[in-house]
Amino acid sequence: MTTRILPAVGDPDAARSVSTLLSQLPDAEPAQPVTDSTQLVDTLARLAAASLDELPEVVLVHERIGPVPALELVREVALRFPAVGVVLITADASPVLFSAAMDSGARGLVTLPLGYEELASRVQAAAQWSLGVRRHLGGGAERITGPGGTVVTVSGAKGGVGATLTAVHLALAARASGRSVALVDMDLQSGDIASYLDVQFRRSVADLASIADISPRVLQDAVYVHETGLSLLLAPAEGERGEEVTDRAARQVVSALRGRHEVVVLDCGSRLDSANAAAIEMADTALLVTTPDVVAVRAAKRTVRMWERLQVRKAEETVTLVNRHHRSTEIQPPLVQKITGTRIAGVAVPANFKELAAVVDAGRLHELDAKSTVKQALWTLAGELGLVQAAGQPAKELTRAGDRGSLGLRRRNGGR
């Protein structure tokens, strides 16, 4: 049987060396090497979305891959694509690194300089393991055909543009359509989700920062189940504790949540740190919220350019939402798209704060009336982003009749 192999090697010389050796392996079908961690994860996600059978049996990760460190990338691939055997290529053959690689989910380790016999042995072992996992998944009641739940990050071009409002209602729309949803406050120093939803809970995302392996039980203890059915993972009450959440911790948290929820929405605020940068990089959709004024649009452009410089997200892979939109405003969505170079959302949220004032002041944002034009726009956006159940599937209604009314807007727009 043919073994499909996907190498992830950043250095061109190393990539040629790996490709040459792989081409000599019997029954091997090596793919063109991917050059960075983002390209690897995106490629695997695209293949997994089509079918489990489209995934390669073996992924080779070179120690100098970037921008995500090799061991972190091994862990992410192992968590998101459990039917893929990951082999680490490294010059360090010490027991410490071997143990760390195994803990991260690697199925083998190949030392540099590469040797044919060792590479063939490790690839064969990883491929056999992968085939065994796939046979098990294929015969079970649940067949894993994708990388887990959908992850959406919501970031603000600057403070006060409505990122938290957007994140909360995207999560509520997904939940109202019957999906299991986690809403995470990654605005670690000044997150307001708890205030918007009238929640007091002592656990936060910072409590997961020092845990090497986040088990379902540990995750359950840190999550607050809201009356709407949302699973909330809140920002720490003490803002300085946000520094405890590293990029590694953020990756572990997002991976753990996407493995247990169909939709994960993260409010990343307007400040970029290593934790929310990691979340934005991992996300299926990165949403950037701005308002139609010169200062906010300039801030949106700066944010997009910074994401590109740091290799967090490309402009064309970012969706921009215009909030507080009015027809008489000089800056319209097409101009925002042109300035930022991003893809503009198909819906703009109207400027109607009067609809929001009462529920925001009461901390009951989830009780916003279904007739609200703001709510209708945001729930339509949730449909556009694919966060709600497809048309024709049964939707699990919330207890409030008003939320059922908002779902009607999605149905009238053909499921969008």
Side-chain angles (χ1 to χ4, degrees):
M1 180 176 177
T2 302
T3 299
R4 293 165 298 178
I5 307 168
L6 178 59
V9 187
D11 180 70
D13 293 333
R16 282 191 293 272
S17 175
V18 171
S19 296
T20 300
L21 273 179
L22 290 177
S23 66
Q24 300 173 17
L25 299 182
D27 300 323
E29 187 181 298
Q32 187 71 19
V34 295
T35 57
D36 59 51
S37 58
T38 302
Q39 189 180 357
L40 173 62
V41 174
D42 288 348
T43 300
L44 293 175
R46 184 177 66 254
L47 294 172
S51 169
L52 175 68
D53 296 329
E54 295 296 319
L55 286 168
E57 284 76 26
V58 180
V59 166
L60 299 178
V61 176
H62 195 277
E63 64 178 358
R64 292 198 295 272
I65 195 70
V68 175
L71 286 179
E72 292 303 314
L73 182 59
V74 169
R75 180 184 294 274
E76 182 175 349
V77 171
L79 286 172
R80 293 184 59 181
F81 312 98
V84 174
V86 188
V87 176
L88 177 66
I89 301 174
T90 177
D92 183 2
S94 67
V96 173
L97 180 66
F98 182 85
S99 176
M102 296 304 104
D103 289 343
S104 296
R107 303 306 307 171
L109 187 147
V110 180
T111 56
L112 292 168
L114 290 176
Y116 175 85
E117 294 296 336
E118 184 183 22
L119 181 63
S121 174
R122 297 293 181 267
V123 166
Q124 183 180 16
Q128 289 176 348
W129 176 86
S130 174
L131 291 174
V133 171
R134 294 177 196 215
R135 282 195 297 270
H136 174 73
L137 293 176
E142 294 184 4
R143 180 177 174 86
I144 299 177
T145 58
T150 300
V151 176
V152 176
T153 57
V154 182
S155 306
K158 66 181 190 66
V161 296
T164 301
L165 169 74
T166 301
V168 170
H169 272 284
L170 289 180
L172 288 171
R175 178 59 191 152
S177 75
R179 293 194 160 184
S180 58
V181 183
L183 176 59
V184 187
D185 200 338
M186 288 293 289
D187 189 0
L188 297 171
Q189 292 188 355
S190 54
D192 285 323
I193 286 180
S195 298
Y196 275 108
L197 295 178
D198 192 24
V199 171
Q200 293 183 353
F201 190 58
R202 61 188 181 89
R203 299 287 187 185
S204 74
V205 65
D207 294 308
L208 300 176
S210 61
I211 299 175
D213 187 13
I214 302 176
S215 67
R217 179 61 182 271
V218 170
L219 187 64
Q220 181 181 357
D221 289 343
V223 166
Y224 177 88
V225 181
H226 191 256
E227 63 186 81
T228 57
L230 294 179
S231 297
L232 304 181
L233 186 55
L234 303 173
E238 304 83 9
E240 65 274 14
R241 290 198 63 199
E243 296 181 0
E244 300 173 20
V245 185
T246 63
D247 56 340
R248 177 179 179 178
R251 292 180 187 281
Q252 287 186 287
V253 168
V254 174
S255 296
L257 288 170
R258 83 185 309 161
R260 296 180 60 82
H261 297 84
E262 295 173 273
V263 175
V264 181
V265 180
L266 299 102
D267 176 12
C268 293
S270 59
R271 176 179 175 270
L272 187 70
D273 54 31
S274 61
N276 54 37
I280 294 167
E281 183 185 3
M282 292 180 68
D284 299 292
T285 301
L287 187 69
L288 180 63
V289 183
T290 185
T291 48
D293 58 85
V294 172
V295 174
V297 174
R298 283 178 176 171
K301 182 178 179 180
R302 285 198 307 270
T303 298
V304 171
R305 298 297 175 263
M306 178 170 60
W307 288 359
E308 287 189 317
R309 289 194 304 272
L310 297 177
Q311 299 184 23
V312 173
R313 201 84 180 184
K314 296 179 181 177
E316 59 269 23
E317 296 174 351
T318 302
V319 180
T320 299
L321 173 69
V322 178
N323 188 24
R324 300 174 197 154
H325 173 261
H326 194 277
R327 291 181 181 180
S328 63
T329 306
E330 287 189 25
I331 299 178
Q332 294 294 316
L335 179 58
V336 176
Q337 181 175 16
K338 182 178 180 181
I339 292 172
T340 62
T342 61
R343 179 166 64 88
I344 206 74
V347 62
V349 181
N352 201 338
F353 185 75
K354 289 183 179 179
E355 297 177 352
L356 302 171
V359 292
V360 168
D361 290 343
R364 306 289 292 179
L365 192 57
H366 51 290
E367 294 183 353
L368 183 61
D369 193 281
K371 296 179 181 179
S372 163
T373 57
V374 173
K375 180 173 182 176
Q376 289 177 356
L378 290 173
W379 285 42
T380 300
L381 175 65
E384 179 185 331
L385 299 179
L387 304 185
V388 298
Q389 291 277 17
Q393 292 184 349
K396 188 185 299 181
E397 308 287 5
L398 295 181
T399 56
R400 296 178 58 249
D403 291 317
R404 291 195 292 271
S406 288
L407 281 176
L409 176 67
R410 174 176 57 81
R411 298 191 183 100
R412 289 194 297 272
N413 283 278
R416 293 184 56 205

